Amino acid sequence: MAGLYLEEFVPGQIIRHTLTKSITESDNMLFSVMTLNPQPLHIDFDFAAKSEWGKPLVNSLFTLGLMIGISVHDTTLGTTIGNLGMTDTVFPHPLFHGDTVRVETEVKSVRPSKSKADRGIIEFEHRAYNQNDVLVAKCTRQAMMLRRPV
């Protein structure tokens, strides 16, 4: 498995993910349609052209999913039991079609489970940046992780 076990995470550790993604119009439209989100800022070029942005914005929930998705291979692939929550999610700068996203993850805390010896809880802070190193998204995620098998 590519994912890390609970014991392999250290508070303060920063993981710079090598996987990046350039956002296409198709990505944004497909996500918006699949999630039944008719927000014209995402799917209507004429409407978006008349907004303060002058062009369509990438759906922020796509940005959130992409940010966490990019982190999976280096952190939780096959070693997570499940997400417990996401807090403090912010989108300080918009993403647009053609922007390229890179992500880094900081381990904020690690603790063994109090009730089950085979797992523990990690708090990650994920941060996504565009190609100009502008922060476009950030969230704190709590994940239940497997401990290394004995």
Side-chain angles (χ1 to χ4, degrees):
M1 281 181 267
L4 303 175
Y5 290 99
L6 183 77
E7 295 83 2
E8 297 175 90
F9 292 100
V10 178
Q13 174 182 12
I14 296 178
I15 301 162
R16 290 178 176 83
H17 307 289
T18 56
L19 187 61
T20 61
K21 167 89 169 105
S22 294
I23 309 300
T24 66
E25 174 187 340
S26 185
D27 293 329
N28 193 40
M29 292 295 278
L30 181 61
F31 184 87
S32 294
V33 169
M34 286 176 57
T35 58
L36 303 178
N37 184 340
Q39 174 54 252
L41 278 173
H42 303 314
I43 64 173
D44 183 328
F45 277 72
D46 182 59
F47 181 92
K50 296 171 186 168
S51 74
E52 69 179 276
W53 308 106
K55 56 188 172 182
L57 297 173
V58 171
N59 188 313
S60 58
L61 292 179
F62 175 76
T63 303
L64 176 64
L66 178 63
M67 175 174 64
I68 292 172
I70 285 174
S71 78
V72 166
H73 192 272
D74 298 322
T75 56
T76 63
L77 183 63
T79 55
T80 188
I81 296 167
N83 287 320
L84 301 176
M86 293 169 207
T87 59
D88 305 316
T89 302
V90 296
F91 304 98
H93 190 276
L95 272 178
F96 301 101
H97 303 158
D99 283 346
T100 298
V101 175
R102 73 170 179 83
V103 176
E104 65 185 27
T105 297
E106 182 175 350
V107 178
K108 301 302 268 183
S109 65
V110 179
R111 72 170 180 83
S113 170
K114 295 174 183 165
S115 60
K116 296 187 179 183
D118 68 336
R119 61 193 66 186
I121 297 170
I122 297 186
E123 187 172 66
F124 296 108
E125 182 178 271
H126 301 292
R127 298 182 289 262
Y129 300 87
N130 69 11
Q131 67 279 0
N132 299 315
D133 290 326
V134 174
L135 183 69
V136 296
K138 180 173 76 168
C139 98
T140 302
R141 174 171 70 114
Q142 300 78 29
M144 184 165 291
M145 301 291 298
L146 289 171
R147 297 185 80 169
R148 184 175 295 289
V150 286

